[in-house]
Amino acid sequence: MLVQLARRTAILLASLVVASILVFWFMWVLPGDPAQVALGTGATEEAVAEMQARFGTDRPVPVQYLDWVTGLPQLDFGQSYVTGAAIGPLIIDRLLVSLWLIGAGMLVALVIAVPLGTLSAVHHRRPLGTALAGVSQVGIAIPNFLAGILLIGLVSVSWQLLPAGGWVPPDQDVVQFLRRLLLPALSLGVIEGAVLARYVRSTVLNVLREDFLRTARAKGLTPGRALVRHGLRNAAVPVVTVLGLQLAVLLVGAVVVERVFVVPGLGSLLLDGVANRDLLLVQGVVMVLVVAVLLLNYLVDVLYTVLDPRLRATA
Amino acid sequence: MGAVSARPDPPPAVLDVAGLSVRTGDHALVEDVSFHLGAGERVGLIGESGSGKSLTALAIMGLLPDELSASGHIRLREVERDLLSASETERSTLRGDRLGMVFQEPMTALNPLMRVGAQVAEVLRIHGAVSGREAATDRARDLLAAVELPDPERIARRYPHQLSGGQRQRVMLAMALANGPDLLICDEPTTALDVTVQAQMLKLIDDGVAARDSALLFISHDLAVVATVCDRILVMYGGRIVEAGPTRALLTRPRHPYTEGLMAASDLEAVDAAGRLPTIAGSVPPDGRFPDGCVFRNRCPRGDDACQAWPGWTGEQHDGVACWYPSGSGREAGRG
C-alpha cells in the first residue's frame, strides 16, 4: 500500500511539473509583449526595454520559467504587470471564496444525488423510479448559469427572499454569508446533483444485482438493511471516481456562476485578468486551477484504496 | 399430486413444500413441486441447468427476484404461517437463523469490502445469537475453525479476495451453519471448486448438518456428488419433479427415461457404437419453453401420443415417478 501511495505521489509531482511548463508556455506564446501592452503602442523602444527589465521579461525564457515556478511552492506568483500588486495573496483570497462556493455546491449535489439516485434505483421498475430519473434528466439539460439566472429571477426578484449577488465573508457576518452563499451554491449544486444522481442510480442498480447482496439477505437482513450495510459502500467506489471528475467540472462551473452572482472568487479574478491582459495573473490562476484538478484526482485515487481493500495490492 | 393422500404418517417434517409453482408473468418456471424433509434428512435435488432447482431453493429462502412470483405452500416446522404468505420482515428473521444457504459461486457471494470474520460475525449478531462485538468475533473464529480453515484468527481478518475459492466456500458454509439452522440449502456448492477440494467441502457439509441435526437440501447436476451425500434424491426437469426415490434404488433402478439419460451421461466408461459418450438427445429449451403434457417428451426415446398429457405422479411422494412408460413397469416395452 505504501509503495502504491509513493508511486501515486510521484505521478502527481511529475504531472505538476509538466502542467507548470505547459501553463507557462501557453502564456509565453500568446502574442503581445507585456511591457508593450503596459506602455501602449506609442512607447519608445528605450521605455519598453526598461519596462522589460523591470518585469524581468528580457531574460531568457527558461530563466523566467524557473524564477516563476520556484516561487510557486511559497505561493509567490510574482507581481502583476498591470497593477504591480503581489498576485499570491490575491489568489489565496479569491480561492477561499471559491472553495466555499464549490464546497457548498458539492454538498448540495451530494445531498440531492445520493438519496435521489438510490431511490430511483430501488424503485426502478415502479413509477417513482421513472419519475425521479426524469427529474434528473431535466436537471442535466439545464446549464448552471441559466439555473443561476432563473434562481435570481424567482427567489431574489419575484419573492425578494435572498440577495441576488455579492459576498460577505463568514467571519464578518455568518447570516449574511449564508444568505449570499445559498443561491450560487444551489445553482452550482442542483445541476451537479442531477448529473451525479444518474451515476448513483446506475451503480446502485449494479450493486443490487450482486450476489453478495443476496447473501446479505440470506443472512437475515431485509432488502433495505442489506443495501445500506453491504451495498452503499460498494456503490461508493465508482461514484467517487465520477465525483472527482465532476469536481473539476464544478471548478469550471464556478467561474461562470461567480460571474452571474458577482461573487469575488477565483473565476471572477480570472476573467478580470483576461480583460486587463494581466498575463501573469491569468497564468497564476490557471496554474492554481490545474493544481486543484490534479490534486483532486490524486485524492480520489487515495480514497479508492481506503474504500476498496482489493486495490491495496502489495505489489 | 395424488400421492399426497396415500402417504403414511411421516415424522413431523422440518420443511414441507406443497404444490410450489414459480412464475414469470403467466409462464411457469417451476410447477407443482411437492416434497418434504425430515430432521437430519439429506435430500438431493438434481437436474440440468434450467430445470428449476435453484428457483425452488430461492423460493424456499424467499429470495426470488422481484419479477418472479411463487405460489403454493411452504411450511417450516414450528412456524405458524405459510412462508409464501409471510411478510418480508417475518421471512428475514428466519433466513440465516432457521434457514441457511450456500450459493454456487463463492467468488462473488461474499462482500468484497468486508473482512470475512466480520461477515460471519454479522449473521450471529443479526439474530442475537451472541451479545457484543467481541463475543461475536470469538464465535465467528470458532465457526471458521469448525470448517477447518487453517489459522482462523488470521483468516478472519482477511478480505474475500485474499482467500481461495475453496476457502471462501467454507466461509459461506460457516455463515450458513452459524445459527444451527433447521434446514441447510446448498446450491451447487462444489461446482465452482477444484475437484481436489470438492471432497473436503462435501465432508464439511456432511459433518456440519450431522452436528446440528439439520435437514439438507443439496442441489447439484452431479449424480456422483449427490450419491455420496444424500439419502434421497428428487430429479427435476422442466420445472417439475419427474422422479423421486432413495439414493441407492434410484441410481440402480431408475424409472424415468430422463433419470436413465442422466445416469448414462455420467457413465464415462460407456460409449456407443461410434465410440462417443452417451448424451441425452437435444437440450433444455431456451427460456424454459418446455412442451405441454410431459415436459420431457420432445427429448424422450419413449415419447408417444400419450405423453401429450402430463402423466401425473405414481407412487409415494418421496418414492415415485411421473412417466407414462416408467422402466420396470412393463409398459415401456409397448412404447410407440
Side-chain angles (χ1 to χ4, degrees):
Chain A
M1 178 157 183
L2 278 177
V3 177
Q4 259 188 346
L5 196 64
R7 190 187 301 154
R8 274 302 309 168
T9 311
I11 292 173
L12 172 71
L13 293 176
S15 315
L16 286 175
V17 170
V18 173
S20 69
I21 293 173
L22 284 178
V23 169
F24 185 86
W25 183 70
F26 278 137
M27 293 302 144
W28 180 72
V29 296
L30 280 183
D33 179 70
Q36 190 83 58
V37 171
L39 293 171
T41 43
T44 62
E45 270 185 38
E46 292 78 29
V48 170
E50 193 195 326
M51 205 55 148
Q52 280 178 337
R54 242 180 69 200
F55 289 167
T57 49
D58 56 341
R59 296 171 299 165
V61 173
V63 175
Q64 290 183 45
Y65 167 74
L66 282 178
D67 186 39
W68 177 69
V69 83
T70 48
L72 294 183
Q74 290 105 53
L75 302 175
D76 174 11
F77 292 80
Q79 265 98 43
S80 162
Y81 294 148
V82 178
T83 62
I87 294 171
L90 198 60
I91 289 184
I92 304 297
D93 249 27
R94 301 298 195 92
L95 180 63
L96 284 178
V97 173
S98 288
L99 285 181
W100 275 115
L101 180 58
I102 291 164
M106 204 69 220
L107 190 68
V108 171
L110 282 175
V111 165
I112 292 173
V114 173
L116 188 79
T118 308
L119 275 180
S120 72
V122 171
H123 296 275
H124 77 288
R125 282 174 195 280
R126 278 158 276 181
L128 177 63
T130 313
L132 291 176
V135 167
S136 115
Q137 197 71 51
V138 171
I140 290 166
I142 304 176
N144 47 30
F145 72 87
L146 185 62
I149 293 170
L150 289 175
L151 279 174
I152 291 177
L154 211 62
V155 181
S156 306
V157 179
S158 301
W159 300 341
Q160 309 237 322
L161 288 176
L162 291 169
W167 186 257
V168 175
D171 47 355
Q172 214 174 82
D173 183 342
V174 178
V175 176
Q176 289 307 317
F177 163 71
L178 289 176
R179 279 170 60 88
R180 282 175 173 76
L181 181 64
L182 191 60
L183 283 189
L186 277 178
S187 48
L188 209 52
V190 169
I191 309 302
E192 219 33 60
V195 176
L196 215 51
R198 285 173 58 84
Y199 288 101
V200 173
R201 178 179 185 268
S202 70
T203 47
V204 171
L205 270 180
N206 282 331
V207 164
L208 284 173
R209 293 192 204 103
E210 292 279 1
D211 282 355
F212 63 78
L213 219 61
R214 188 179 60 188
T215 306
R217 292 184 56 206
K219 289 160 86 173
L221 292 173
T222 57
R225 284 168 76 204
L227 180 63
V228 171
R229 283 210 210 170
H230 293 268
L232 290 186
R233 185 160 165 211
N234 276 281
V237 179
V239 169
V240 163
T241 318
V242 177
L243 203 65
L245 294 172
Q246 288 299 314
L247 265 169
V249 175
L250 218 56
L251 273 174
V252 178
V255 172
V256 179
V257 168
E258 282 172 12
R259 207 62 177 176
V260 173
F261 287 93
V262 211
V263 173
L266 213 51
S268 309
L269 187 65
L270 178 68
L271 293 182
D272 290 346
V274 171
N276 300 333
R277 299 192 64 91
D278 196 341
L279 282 189
L280 203 55
L281 176 66
V282 172
Q283 191 173 312
V285 175
V286 171
M287 191 63 208
V288 167
L289 290 175
V290 171
V291 169
V293 171
L294 287 176
L295 217 53
L296 278 174
N297 284 323
Y298 173 73
L299 289 178
V300 165
D301 277 357
V302 173
L303 199 55
Y304 272 158
T305 53
V306 173
L307 282 173
D308 193 338
R310 283 168 296 184
L311 300 171
R312 289 176 216 153
T314 43
Chain B
M1 286 193 191
V4 176
S5 56
R7 192 168 94 202
D9 276 6
V14 168
L15 179 79
D16 199 338
V17 176
L20 173 70
S21 297
V22 175
R23 299 177 171 276
T24 162
D26 57 348
H27 176 60
L29 298 171
V30 170
E31 196 158 7
D32 197 21
V33 162
S34 303
F35 62 92
H36 61 275
L37 274 83
E41 205 177 12
R42 294 115 190 262
V43 174
L45 188 57
I46 63 172
E48 282 167 274
S49 318
S51 59
K53 313 176 299 266
S54 295
L55 289 179
T56 303
L58 290 176
I60 295 167
M61 290 296 287
L63 294 176
L64 282 174
D66 287 344
E67 59 271 23
L68 302 183
S69 62
S71 60
H73 303 282
I74 300 174
R75 292 195 163 272
L76 190 65
R77 186 175 60 193
E78 290 157 18
V79 176
E80 274 300 300
R81 201 191 281 268
D82 188 324
L83 294 192
L84 287 181
S85 57
S87 72
E88 175 58 37
T89 318
E90 286 172 289
R91 301 210 68 175
S92 62
T93 58
L94 297 174
R95 284 196 295 265
D97 189 20
R98 310 229 7 230
L99 299 170
M101 182 156 177
V102 176
F103 298 95
Q104 176 173 352
E105 194 38 78
M107 305 315 261
T108 54
L110 291 165
N111 183 346
L113 306 187
M114 203 169 163
R115 295 176 200 275
V116 297
Q119 301 198 42
V120 177
E122 187 184 29
V123 72
L124 297 165
R125 302 184 69 193
I126 291 170
H127 299 285
V130 291
S131 55
R133 183 180 292 267
E134 246 169 71
T137 309
D138 288 350
R139 179 92 184 90
R141 194 195 46 228
D142 295 345
L143 284 163
L144 291 174
V147 291
E148 293 171 16
L149 282 165
D151 199 353
E153 190 92 33
R154 195 175 51 93
I155 294 273
R157 286 195 302 271
R158 289 282 169 109
Y159 288 98
H161 74 277
Q162 294 167 316
L163 305 182
S164 70
Q167 289 175 321
R168 293 185 212 190
Q169 201 62 308
R170 289 188 212 188
V171 173
M172 284 297 293
L173 181 64
M175 275 171 22
L177 291 173
N179 291 317
D182 295 285
L183 170 67
L184 175 70
I185 301 178
C186 293
D187 187 359
E188 307 255 7
T190 59
T191 305
L193 303 184
D194 285 347
V195 182
T196 46
V197 299
Q198 278 192 8
Q200 265 175 306
M201 186 71 200
L202 292 177
K203 185 177 172 298
L204 288 169
I205 293 172
D206 203 58
D207 294 350
V209 292
R212 293 162 178 86
D213 202 24
S214 308
L216 173 69
L217 183 63
F218 191 98
I219 298 173
S220 181
H221 63 269
D222 189 334
L223 281 175
V225 167
V226 171
T228 53
V229 180
C230 301
D231 317 318
R232 290 198 281 125
I233 291 179
L234 307 166
V235 182
M236 257 187 115
Y237 183 82
R240 287 175 178 271
I241 293 181
V242 293
E243 182 168 2
T247 302
R248 177 176 276 275
L250 188 126
L251 294 184
T252 49
R253 291 184 307 279
R255 288 162 289 189
H256 198 283
Y258 177 63
T259 317
E260 287 180 347
L262 275 184
M263 300 271 308
S266 46
D267 183 356
L268 298 181
E269 311 269 292
V271 287
D272 65 9
R276 283 177 307 217
L277 291 165
T279 55
I280 302 176
S283 56
V284 172
D287 303 328
R289 302 279 164 197
F290 291 93
D292 334 318
C294 175
V295 283
F296 189 58
R297 70 186 162 96
N298 61 335
R299 297 174 70 186
C300 183
R302 298 177 204 159
D304 69 7
D305 288 349
C307 303
Q308 285 174 20
W310 174 244
W313 192 255
T314 317
E316 308 276 321
Q317 189 188 43
H318 55 262
D319 188 4
V321 65
C323 181
W324 290 109
Y325 305 110
S327 310
S329 65
R331 273 177 286 160
E332 78 274 26
R335 71 189 90 149

